[in-house]
Amino acid sequence: MAQLLSNEEEVLEAFDPSIAASRRFKHPIAVFFHMAFRSLAIVAYFMCSWAKASFVTSFVIIIVLLSMDFWTVKNITGRLLAGLRYWNYVDDAGNNHWIFESKKGTDKSTVSPIESNIFWLSLVFTILLWILLTITTLFSPTYIIITGAALALNVTNLYGFVRCKFGSNEKLSDEMKKTVFKSFLSRVTSGAGGNMPSSTDNEQQQSSAARTMFGP
Amino acid sequence: MDTSMEQDQVPFLSSSSHGIDMIEGEMSSSSNRTNQNGLSTLDEPVIDTIKRDLGAVFRKFGYAVIPRHSSTLLQQWDLWGPLILVTTLAILLQSSATKSSTGVQFAEVFTLMLIGSIAVTVNSQLLGGKISFFQSVCVLGYCLLPLLLSAFINNILLYIPTKSTIPILHIIRFLIVMTAFAWTMYASVRFLGQTQHPNRRMLVLYPIFLFYFLIAWLIILHAHPK
C-alpha cells in the first residue's frame, strides 16, 4: 500500500514540477559546492593567518578559492538554485551589453524555495563577514588586497543577481533581446571551432549559452 | 506565433509581454522540463561548462602566442588567463630577502597590471575606440604569455654560475626578454590595433608599449635569484 502511494506521488510530480520543487533539495551537489568554496576561502584566510604563512602563499590559495567560488556561483549555482543568470555580450560594433535574466511565470515554481533561501542568505552573510575582515586589515597594505578582492567579487555577484531578480532590463525590447541572443548563440557555436554543431535543440542552446559565462 | 516559438527556445524568460503569457509559460515549462531532464544530472552539464571554458582559455592562449585574426579575445573576454599569468609572473619576480617586503613586491605586479589596463582603456576610449576595461585586461593579460616565458627562462639562466668578466649571461637575458617583448607587442597590436582608426594607431599603442616595456624591464632587473 505504501508502495502504491509513493508511486502516485512520483506520477504527480512528473506533471507538476512545483510539488517536487517545494518538497526537497533539487540540486544537492550545487548547494554543496555553493557553500564549499566560500567556506573554504574563509577557512583558508584564517588558517593562513594562524599558520603565519607567507603573503604569497596565502594570496595564491585564497584567490584561487575565491575565483572558483565566483565562477561557480555566477555560472552554475545562480542558474540552478535561484533561476537567475547574467552575462556580458560584446556585439560586432564593439558595444558592451550586460544581460540579466531570471525565470518567469510558471517556470518560477521549479525553483526550490529552500535552495533559493540558502543561496541568498549565504551571499549576504559572506559579504558581511568579508566586510568585517576588510575592516580588520584596513591598515595592512598587503592583506587588504586579499580581503578587498574577496569583497569585490562577492559584491559583484550580489549586485548582478539582485539586478536579475528585480529586473531592470525593460529598456531592452523583446525583439532586440531575441536578436542579441540568437547572434550571440550563432557566434558561440561557430566560434567553438565547429566542435558543437549548430543545432536548434533546446538542450544544445541552453548548454551553449551557458558556455561563455566565464567572464567575470 | 513566430515570436512565441522563438521565445520558448529560451528557457529563461526576461520579457514582459503580457498578451500571450499563458502560452509562453506552458511551452517554456515543457521545454524546460526536457532541459531539466538533460540537466538533472549535474555532472554532465557542469563538466561540459568546465570543458568549454577551459577550452576557451587555452584557445585564447594559442591566439596570444600565434596571433591570428579572431574576435575571440575581444568579444568573448574572460579574466582567467590574466589572473593565472599575472600571479605566475608575480611569483617569478620575487627576489627580496626580507619577509615583510615580499608582499609589497608581489602586489607591485598586480598594481602595475591594474593601472596599465586602466590607462590603456581610458586612452583608447578617449581616442574614440570602443573598448571596455575588461576587454583590455583580457588582451593585455593574455598577450603577457611570451614575457612570462622569458621570465621563466630568465630565472633558470640565473642559476648558471658564471665567473667571466664579460656579462655574457646578462646580454643573453636581455636579448631573450627583448625578443619576448617584441613578440608580445606584435600580438597585442594585432588585437587592440583593430579597434582603432588607422591614423590614431600609434597614439593608442603608446601606453601598451610603455606597459609591456615596464614589465620587460622588471624581468631584466630581476637578476638575483631568491
Side-chain angles (χ1 to χ4, degrees), chain B residues 81-128:
Chain B
L83 178 69
I84 298 171
L85 289 184
V86 174
T87 311
T88 319
L89 191 65
I91 294 176
L92 283 176
L93 285 179
Q94 280 185 293
S95 73
S96 172
T98 67
K99 200 167 180 205
S100 58
S101 59
T102 45
V104 179
Q105 218 176 23
F106 185 78
E108 249 174 32
V109 184
F110 279 90
T111 318
L112 187 59
M113 179 80 199
L114 183 69
I115 298 193
S117 307
I118 294 178
V120 167
T121 311
V122 167
N123 180 60
S124 172
Q125 281 177 347
L126 283 177
L127 283 173

Short mmCIF file of all heavy atoms in Angstrom, two decimals, chain B residues 81-128:
data_model
loop_
_atom_site.label_atom_id
_atom_site.label_comp_id
_atom_site.label_asym_id
_atom_site.label_seq_id
_atom_site.Cartn_x
_atom_site.Cartn_y
_atom_site.Cartn_z
N GLY B 81 42.85 33.85 -17.86
CA GLY B 81 44.22 33.91 -18.35
C GLY B 81 45.02 34.99 -17.68
O GLY B 81 46.11 34.72 -17.16
N PRO B 82 44.52 36.23 -17.67
CA PRO B 82 45.27 37.29 -16.98
C PRO B 82 45.54 36.95 -15.52
O PRO B 82 46.65 37.19 -15.04
CB PRO B 82 44.34 38.50 -17.10
CG PRO B 82 43.60 38.28 -18.34
CD PRO B 82 43.42 36.81 -18.45
N LEU B 83 44.57 36.35 -14.83
CA LEU B 83 44.79 36.02 -13.42
C LEU B 83 45.95 35.06 -13.27
O LEU B 83 46.88 35.28 -12.49
CB LEU B 83 43.52 35.40 -12.83
CG LEU B 83 43.64 34.97 -11.37
CD1 LEU B 83 43.74 36.17 -10.48
CD2 LEU B 83 42.46 34.12 -10.97
N ILE B 84 45.92 33.98 -14.07
CA ILE B 84 46.97 32.96 -13.96
C ILE B 84 48.32 33.57 -14.31
O ILE B 84 49.31 33.39 -13.60
CB ILE B 84 46.67 31.78 -14.90
CG1 ILE B 84 45.36 31.11 -14.49
CG2 ILE B 84 47.79 30.78 -14.88
CD1 ILE B 84 44.90 30.09 -15.49
N LEU B 85 48.36 34.31 -15.44
CA LEU B 85 49.64 34.83 -15.91
C LEU B 85 50.22 35.86 -14.95
O LEU B 85 51.42 35.83 -14.66
CB LEU B 85 49.48 35.44 -17.30
CG LEU B 85 49.24 34.45 -18.42
CD1 LEU B 85 49.20 35.15 -19.76
CD2 LEU B 85 50.31 33.39 -18.44
N VAL B 86 49.39 36.76 -14.47
CA VAL B 86 49.92 37.81 -13.60
C VAL B 86 50.36 37.21 -12.27
O VAL B 86 51.40 37.62 -11.72
CB VAL B 86 48.86 38.92 -13.39
CG1 VAL B 86 49.33 39.92 -12.39
CG2 VAL B 86 48.60 39.62 -14.69
N THR B 87 49.62 36.25 -11.75
CA THR B 87 50.04 35.61 -10.50
C THR B 87 51.37 34.90 -10.68
O THR B 87 52.28 35.04 -9.85
CB THR B 87 48.99 34.60 -10.03
OG1 THR B 87 47.71 35.23 -10.07
CG2 THR B 87 49.27 34.14 -8.63
N THR B 88 51.50 34.14 -11.78
CA THR B 88 52.75 33.42 -12.02
C THR B 88 53.91 34.40 -12.19
O THR B 88 55.01 34.18 -11.66
CB THR B 88 52.63 32.55 -13.27
OG1 THR B 88 51.35 31.95 -13.29
CG2 THR B 88 53.69 31.50 -13.29
N LEU B 89 53.66 35.47 -12.92
CA LEU B 89 54.72 36.46 -13.13
C LEU B 89 55.14 37.08 -11.81
O LEU B 89 56.33 37.27 -11.54
CB LEU B 89 54.21 37.55 -14.08
CG LEU B 89 55.26 38.52 -14.60
CD1 LEU B 89 56.26 37.79 -15.46
CD2 LEU B 89 54.60 39.62 -15.39
N ALA B 90 54.15 37.37 -10.95
CA ALA B 90 54.48 37.98 -9.66
C ALA B 90 55.30 37.01 -8.81
O ALA B 90 56.23 37.44 -8.12
CB ALA B 90 53.20 38.37 -8.93
N ILE B 91 54.99 35.73 -8.88
CA ILE B 91 55.78 34.77 -8.12
C ILE B 91 57.19 34.68 -8.67
O ILE B 91 58.18 34.63 -7.92
CB ILE B 91 55.10 33.38 -8.16
CG1 ILE B 91 53.77 33.44 -7.42
CG2 ILE B 91 55.99 32.32 -7.54
CD1 ILE B 91 53.01 32.16 -7.50
N LEU B 92 57.33 34.69 -10.01
CA LEU B 92 58.65 34.57 -10.61
C LEU B 92 59.53 35.77 -10.32
O LEU B 92 60.75 35.67 -10.31
CB LEU B 92 58.52 34.40 -12.13
CG LEU B 92 58.09 33.02 -12.61
CD1 LEU B 92 57.90 33.05 -14.12
CD2 LEU B 92 59.12 31.99 -12.23
N LEU B 93 58.90 36.94 -10.11
CA LEU B 93 59.69 38.15 -9.94
C LEU B 93 60.07 38.41 -8.50
O LEU B 93 60.57 39.48 -8.18
CB LEU B 93 58.92 39.35 -10.50
CG LEU B 93 58.89 39.44 -12.01
CD1 LEU B 93 58.09 40.65 -12.44
CD2 LEU B 93 60.29 39.55 -12.56
N GLN B 94 59.80 37.46 -7.62
CA GLN B 94 60.12 37.71 -6.23
C GLN B 94 61.60 37.59 -6.01
O GLN B 94 62.23 36.63 -6.46
CB GLN B 94 59.46 36.66 -5.37
CG GLN B 94 58.03 36.92 -5.11
CD GLN B 94 57.55 35.89 -4.15
OE1 GLN B 94 57.48 34.72 -4.48
NE2 GLN B 94 57.28 36.32 -2.95
N SER B 95 62.16 38.54 -5.29
CA SER B 95 63.58 38.37 -5.03
C SER B 95 64.02 39.02 -3.74
O SER B 95 65.19 39.13 -3.47
CB SER B 95 64.41 38.98 -6.15
OG SER B 95 64.34 40.38 -6.05
N SER B 96 63.07 39.44 -2.95
CA SER B 96 63.51 40.20 -1.79
C SER B 96 63.96 39.28 -0.67
O SER B 96 63.51 38.16 -0.53
CB SER B 96 62.36 41.07 -1.30
OG SER B 96 62.72 41.66 -0.09
N ALA B 97 64.88 39.79 0.15
CA ALA B 97 65.40 38.97 1.24
C ALA B 97 64.52 39.06 2.47
O ALA B 97 64.29 38.07 3.16
CB ALA B 97 66.83 39.40 1.58
N THR B 98 64.02 40.23 2.75
CA THR B 98 63.23 40.39 3.96
C THR B 98 61.80 39.95 3.73
O THR B 98 61.25 40.13 2.66
CB THR B 98 63.22 41.85 4.43
OG1 THR B 98 62.49 42.61 3.44
CG2 THR B 98 64.61 42.39 4.56
N LYS B 99 61.22 39.39 4.76
CA LYS B 99 59.89 38.79 4.58
C LYS B 99 58.82 39.85 4.41
O LYS B 99 57.83 39.64 3.74
CB LYS B 99 59.58 37.93 5.80
CG LYS B 99 58.51 36.94 5.53
CD LYS B 99 58.39 35.89 6.61
CE LYS B 99 57.25 34.95 6.20
NZ LYS B 99 56.61 34.27 7.23
N SER B 100 59.04 41.01 5.03
CA SER B 100 57.95 41.98 5.02
C SER B 100 57.73 42.58 3.65
O SER B 100 56.63 42.93 3.28
CB SER B 100 58.21 43.08 6.04
OG SER B 100 59.44 43.70 5.71
N SER B 101 58.83 42.72 2.90
CA SER B 101 58.65 43.41 1.63
C SER B 101 58.31 42.47 0.48
O SER B 101 58.07 42.92 -0.62
CB SER B 101 59.88 44.22 1.28
OG SER B 101 60.99 43.37 1.20
N THR B 102 58.29 41.15 0.71
CA THR B 102 57.90 40.27 -0.38
C THR B 102 56.45 40.51 -0.77
O THR B 102 56.10 40.48 -1.94
CB THR B 102 58.02 38.78 0.00
OG1 THR B 102 57.46 38.61 1.29
CG2 THR B 102 59.44 38.32 -0.03
N GLY B 103 55.64 40.78 0.24
CA GLY B 103 54.23 41.02 -0.05
C GLY B 103 54.06 42.23 -0.92
O GLY B 103 53.29 42.23 -1.90
N VAL B 104 54.78 43.30 -0.58
CA VAL B 104 54.66 44.53 -1.34
C VAL B 104 55.12 44.31 -2.77
O VAL B 104 54.49 44.76 -3.73
CB VAL B 104 55.47 45.66 -0.68
CG1 VAL B 104 55.37 46.92 -1.49
CG2 VAL B 104 54.96 45.90 0.73
N GLN B 105 56.22 43.59 -2.92
CA GLN B 105 56.74 43.35 -4.26
C GLN B 105 55.78 42.52 -5.09
O GLN B 105 55.62 42.73 -6.29
CB GLN B 105 58.07 42.61 -4.13
CG GLN B 105 59.08 43.05 -5.12
CD GLN B 105 60.37 42.34 -4.86
OE1 GLN B 105 60.39 41.29 -4.26
NE2 GLN B 105 61.44 42.93 -5.33
N PHE B 106 55.17 41.54 -4.42
CA PHE B 106 54.20 40.71 -5.10
C PHE B 106 53.05 41.57 -5.61
O PHE B 106 52.56 41.40 -6.74
CB PHE B 106 53.70 39.66 -4.11
CG PHE B 106 52.78 38.65 -4.68
CD1 PHE B 106 53.27 37.62 -5.43
CD2 PHE B 106 51.43 38.73 -4.44
CE1 PHE B 106 52.42 36.67 -5.95
CE2 PHE B 106 50.57 37.78 -4.95
CZ PHE B 106 51.07 36.75 -5.71
N ALA B 107 52.61 42.48 -4.74
CA ALA B 107 51.46 43.30 -5.12
C ALA B 107 51.81 44.29 -6.22
O ALA B 107 50.93 44.77 -6.92
CB ALA B 107 50.94 44.04 -3.89
N GLU B 108 53.12 44.57 -6.36
CA GLU B 108 53.56 45.51 -7.39
C GLU B 108 53.08 45.13 -8.77
O GLU B 108 52.58 45.95 -9.53
CB GLU B 108 55.10 45.51 -7.44
CG GLU B 108 55.75 46.77 -6.97
CD GLU B 108 57.26 46.61 -6.92
OE1 GLU B 108 57.79 45.85 -7.76
OE2 GLU B 108 57.87 47.22 -6.05
N VAL B 109 53.29 43.83 -9.08
CA VAL B 109 52.96 43.38 -10.42
C VAL B 109 51.46 43.51 -10.67
O VAL B 109 51.02 43.93 -11.75
CB VAL B 109 53.41 41.93 -10.63
CG1 VAL B 109 53.16 41.49 -12.04
CG2 VAL B 109 54.88 41.80 -10.30
N PHE B 110 50.68 43.17 -9.65
CA PHE B 110 49.23 43.29 -9.81
C PHE B 110 48.80 44.73 -10.00
O PHE B 110 47.95 45.05 -10.83
CB PHE B 110 48.52 42.71 -8.58
CG PHE B 110 48.41 41.23 -8.62
CD1 PHE B 110 49.40 40.44 -8.07
CD2 PHE B 110 47.33 40.62 -9.22
CE1 PHE B 110 49.30 39.07 -8.12
CE2 PHE B 110 47.24 39.26 -9.27
CZ PHE B 110 48.22 38.47 -8.72
N THR B 111 49.40 45.60 -9.19
CA THR B 111 49.04 47.01 -9.30
C THR B 111 49.42 47.54 -10.67
O THR B 111 48.65 48.29 -11.29
CB THR B 111 49.78 47.82 -8.22
OG1 THR B 111 49.75 47.10 -7.00
CG2 THR B 111 49.16 49.18 -8.05
N LEU B 112 50.60 47.11 -11.13
CA LEU B 112 51.04 47.55 -12.45
C LEU B 112 50.05 47.12 -13.52
O LEU B 112 49.65 47.90 -14.40
CB LEU B 112 52.41 46.93 -12.73
CG LEU B 112 53.13 47.38 -13.98
CD1 LEU B 112 53.34 48.87 -13.93
CD2 LEU B 112 54.46 46.68 -14.07
N MET B 113 49.62 45.86 -13.42
CA MET B 113 48.66 45.33 -14.39
C MET B 113 47.36 46.12 -14.35
O MET B 113 46.81 46.52 -15.37
CB MET B 113 48.38 43.87 -14.04
CG MET B 113 47.39 43.20 -14.92
SD MET B 113 48.14 42.69 -16.44
CE MET B 113 46.73 42.49 -17.47
N LEU B 114 46.90 46.40 -13.14
CA LEU B 114 45.62 47.10 -12.99
C LEU B 114 45.70 48.50 -13.58
O LEU B 114 44.87 48.93 -14.40
CB LEU B 114 45.26 47.17 -11.50
CG LEU B 114 43.93 47.79 -11.15
CD1 LEU B 114 42.82 46.89 -11.60
CD2 LEU B 114 43.85 48.01 -9.65
N ILE B 115 46.74 49.24 -13.16
CA ILE B 115 46.83 50.63 -13.61
C ILE B 115 47.12 50.69 -15.10
O ILE B 115 46.60 51.56 -15.81
CB ILE B 115 47.90 51.37 -12.78
CG1 ILE B 115 47.48 51.36 -11.33
CG2 ILE B 115 48.11 52.76 -13.30
CD1 ILE B 115 48.24 52.28 -10.46
N GLY B 116 47.94 49.74 -15.58
CA GLY B 116 48.21 49.70 -17.01
C GLY B 116 46.95 49.49 -17.81
O GLY B 116 46.71 50.16 -18.83
N SER B 117 46.09 48.57 -17.33
CA SER B 117 44.86 48.32 -18.07
C SER B 117 43.95 49.53 -18.04
O SER B 117 43.31 49.87 -19.04
CB SER B 117 44.12 47.14 -17.48
OG SER B 117 44.97 46.04 -17.41
N ILE B 118 43.89 50.19 -16.89
CA ILE B 118 43.04 51.39 -16.80
C ILE B 118 43.55 52.44 -17.78
O ILE B 118 42.78 53.07 -18.52
CB ILE B 118 43.03 51.96 -15.37
CG1 ILE B 118 42.35 50.98 -14.43
CG2 ILE B 118 42.32 53.29 -15.33
CD1 ILE B 118 42.34 51.43 -12.99
N ALA B 119 44.89 52.62 -17.81
CA ALA B 119 45.46 53.63 -18.69
C ALA B 119 45.16 53.31 -20.15
O ALA B 119 44.76 54.20 -20.93
CB ALA B 119 46.97 53.73 -18.47
N VAL B 120 45.33 52.05 -20.52
CA VAL B 120 45.09 51.68 -21.91
C VAL B 120 43.62 51.86 -22.27
O VAL B 120 43.28 52.36 -23.35
CB VAL B 120 45.53 50.22 -22.15
CG1 VAL B 120 45.01 49.71 -23.46
CG2 VAL B 120 47.02 50.11 -22.11
N THR B 121 42.74 51.48 -21.35
CA THR B 121 41.31 51.63 -21.62
C THR B 121 40.93 53.09 -21.80
O THR B 121 40.25 53.47 -22.76
CB THR B 121 40.47 51.05 -20.47
OG1 THR B 121 40.96 49.76 -20.16
CG2 THR B 121 39.02 50.97 -20.83
N VAL B 122 41.36 53.93 -20.84
CA VAL B 122 40.96 55.33 -20.89
C VAL B 122 41.52 55.98 -22.14
O VAL B 122 40.82 56.70 -22.86
CB VAL B 122 41.46 56.06 -19.62
CG1 VAL B 122 41.34 57.55 -19.79
CG2 VAL B 122 40.68 55.60 -18.42
N ASN B 123 42.78 55.68 -22.44
CA ASN B 123 43.40 56.25 -23.62
C ASN B 123 42.66 55.84 -24.88
O ASN B 123 42.36 56.66 -25.75
CB ASN B 123 44.86 55.78 -23.68
CG ASN B 123 45.58 56.32 -24.86
OD1 ASN B 123 45.70 57.53 -25.02
ND2 ASN B 123 46.05 55.46 -25.73
N SER B 124 42.33 54.56 -24.95
CA SER B 124 41.66 54.06 -26.14
C SER B 124 40.27 54.66 -26.28
O SER B 124 39.84 55.00 -27.38
CB SER B 124 41.60 52.54 -26.03
OG SER B 124 40.83 52.01 -27.02
N GLN B 125 39.58 54.81 -25.15
CA GLN B 125 38.23 55.37 -25.24
C GLN B 125 38.26 56.84 -25.60
O GLN B 125 37.42 57.33 -26.34
CB GLN B 125 37.49 55.16 -23.93
CG GLN B 125 36.96 53.75 -23.80
CD GLN B 125 36.28 53.52 -22.48
OE1 GLN B 125 36.41 54.33 -21.56
NE2 GLN B 125 35.58 52.42 -22.37
N LEU B 126 39.27 57.54 -25.04
CA LEU B 126 39.36 58.96 -25.35
C LEU B 126 39.66 59.18 -26.82
O LEU B 126 39.28 60.20 -27.40
CB LEU B 126 40.45 59.62 -24.51
CG LEU B 126 40.08 59.89 -23.06
CD1 LEU B 126 41.27 60.46 -22.32
CD2 LEU B 126 38.91 60.84 -22.98
N LEU B 127 40.36 58.22 -27.42
CA LEU B 127 40.70 58.38 -28.83
C LEU B 127 39.59 57.87 -29.74
O LEU B 127 39.77 57.78 -30.93
CB LEU B 127 42.00 57.63 -29.14
CG LEU B 127 43.25 58.35 -28.67
CD1 LEU B 127 44.45 57.46 -28.86
CD2 LEU B 127 43.43 59.62 -29.47
N GLY B 128 38.48 57.50 -29.14
CA GLY B 128 37.33 57.16 -29.97
C GLY B 128 37.13 55.68 -30.19
O GLY B 128 36.16 55.28 -30.82
#
